[in-house]
Amino acid sequence: MAIYEVKTGQELTAFSQKSQNNWNVQWTDDEAYCARMVSNEVHFWEPKNLTKAPFTKLRQEGMSQFSLSPGKSTSVAVFFGERKGAPAMVRIYSITNFTVPLASKSFFKADRVQMIWNQLGTNVLVWATTDHDKTGKSYYGETNLYYLAVAGNFDCRVPIDGLIHDVAWAPASKDFVVIHGDMPTPKTTLFDQRANAVHEFGRDARNTIKWNPQGRILVLAGFGNLAGTMDFWDRKTLKTIASVSARDTTACEWSPDGRHILTATLSPRLRVDNGYKIWHYTGTLVHAAEMKELYQVSWRPCAPEIYPIRSALSPAPKPHANSSAATAKPAPARVGAYRPPQARGAASSSMSTDSSTSASASAAAASAEAALSKVALKNKKKRENAKKNKDSVDEVAPAVSTPVAASGSGSNSPARSNTPRPSSNINNGNNNRRAQNGALLPATTTTTTTTTTTTTTTTTAGSPNSQMTETEKKIRNVTKKLKQIHELKEKQAAGETLELTQLQKISAEATLLKELEALKV
């Protein structure tokens, strides 16, 4: 890893960096210091002395991450993971004194953290994440959010529900917004500087928060695997200004003037429909450009102080000609969202259907459930009747005197025409029944006895329910092996490469055939 001077292009220094965790060099806002992490240490340099040894070091056993604060008075926050039953911990030090921490917070359920500072560097949010959720509620582990004041006079756990999707401080550093909860309807909450919930923006499929540089307008968007909807909110009135659709967005950035926002579809994240769009916060598409391949797009840097906050929001400008063509471009036809098998046939969620569709889907699901209940009830009655018939057979079987020959089971048999037809779950597979290995089992013979009160049906010893002899079991096993060998030979003939164990099984075919002939004698 090398560091160059931009003005001259000269390489100032280079490091050997093996770890991918905290690999980048961090700088203070005034570029007076830079820092990088090595094993259990954070090294600090002055830019003019990068070729020399670090002027100071912060050494802490078990330290795995660090973060420099913005602002005039620079602090450094370091993270220690859980070890031997001890909780994880975040400590904040002044860059000029590593002896006593300014603030600290310990907590469990933290394999790694993301430290999010406000612009003044006076408070930090610690977004803690685990790799696994021990409760089994989520595939993505557990997340928690902790609030620390650098002064050391306040810290707490931020009250959230479920997974955290995004966190962002307002530019004024006095409040922050969190998107939290389970998809497809997470909750978006505005918190004050004491982590108290101030306002709820509702429940929508959103996972991205973007404040404009002046902090007056807030964008809540659903990018990535979501539909790409962007909602513009006025922080002063806490009301929606506009909503637009920016599908397939992979990059999003506010302009320094705080009036326009850039959305783009970039390669290699998406290799189709590359291009960028510029939107006014009123929802007007100002400019659009399509490109075959676009890898990066950004605004020219500029200090937001040049564009102060106005008391009244500015009106939308006139859209460019190419933006009209982009707006007229039809959206792709919706083929429906993927639904897992267990959810198919049930009512859809509010994210993918409107109220009328939801109501009709709910009615259809209710009728399907009622029909299913009738079928289940019918099958239950059949099972009960079959059980009663079986008990009656056990009691009456010794008194049976007039058996009907097996040939009488044909379609022209008088006995069959005068006997009630048994239910499908009893009759299936009585005649010419085949075992799983494909061998033909003996046909069953039906005996019917008619009395003044009941009709009883029994089966002979040839029924599959009767006990098989040892010879029959051996024949069944050998037949099963021969069928498997036949399937393997078909695969081999089709050109498929077989494993050694499969080839050995094929070579045993002759032995199995001899064994089968001996058993049939």
Side-chain angles (χ1 to χ4, degrees), residues 28-95:
T28 59
D29 276 1
D30 57 3
E31 297 186 358
Y33 305 101
C34 65
R36 67 181 290 261
M37 189 174 184
V38 295
S39 300
N40 298 318
E41 290 183 351
V42 179
H43 294 180
F44 292 86
W45 284 271
E46 295 175 332
K48 59 183 179 182
N49 296 321
L50 283 173
T51 56
K52 300 179 180 178
F55 80 94
T56 186
K57 298 179 182 180
L58 170 61
R59 177 172 179 79
Q60 295 285 333
E61 190 69 28
M63 179 172 54
S64 59
Q65 290 178 242
F66 84 101
S67 177
L68 295 181
S69 73
K72 296 180 180 179
S73 180
T74 305
S75 304
V76 55
V78 293
F79 169 69
F80 305 83
E82 297 181 46
R83 294 183 63 187
K84 299 179 180 178
M89 181 179 293
V90 169
R91 292 176 181 168
I92 301 176
Y93 292 90
S94 171
I95 201 171

Side-chain angles (χ1 to χ4, degrees), residues 283-298:
T284 303
L285 180 59
V286 178
H287 181 75
E290 294 183 358
M291 300 178 182
K292 186 177 180 181
E293 286 187 348
L294 179 63
Y295 293 95
Q296 188 175 359
V297 60
S298 181

